[in-house]
């Protein structure tokens, strides 16, 4: 997609400043085998609770029992 290259205007502006602003808890759940989000390391802001969920396809994340349990545990905490 034009405008979504690693050094595009949109990406530079999204990446400027605080990755996790405000008094909110942030969490990420990432897969080593995600075919959409690449590189995998781009999912992990320093101030977030970053959880690796193993080797799942991008569209498999929402239906995975372990990932879903992790999201529920984060929200309950």
């Amino acid at each position: 997609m034009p405008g979504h290259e690693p050094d595009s205007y949109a990406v530079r502006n999204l990446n400027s400043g605080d990755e996790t602003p405000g008094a909110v808890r942030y969490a990420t759940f990432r897969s080593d085998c995600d075919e959409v989000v690449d590189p995998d390391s781009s999912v992990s802001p320093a101030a977030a609770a970053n959880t690796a969920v193993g080797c799942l396809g991008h569209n498999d994340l929402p239906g995975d029992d372990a990932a879903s349990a992790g999201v529920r545990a984060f929200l309950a905490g």
Side-chain angles (χ1 to χ4, degrees):
M1 270 187 189
H4 292 85
E5 292 80 20
D7 194 39
S8 71
Y9 170 82
V11 172
R12 278 195 314 273
N13 283 296
L14 285 170
N15 291 334
S16 68
D18 187 355
E19 289 183 300
T20 55
V24 177
R25 294 182 319 130
Y26 290 83
T28 67
F29 293 82
R30 66 174 170 77
S31 167
D32 296 334
C33 300
D34 192 319
E35 67 280 6
V36 176
V37 179
D38 192 31
D40 304 331
S41 62
S42 68
V43 176
S44 304
N50 298 297
T51 304
V53 296
C55 185
L56 296 171
H58 185 78
N59 291 328
D60 296 327
L61 279 163
D64 182 71
D65 289 339
S68 178
V71 170
R72 288 191 308 274
F74 176 79
L75 293 174

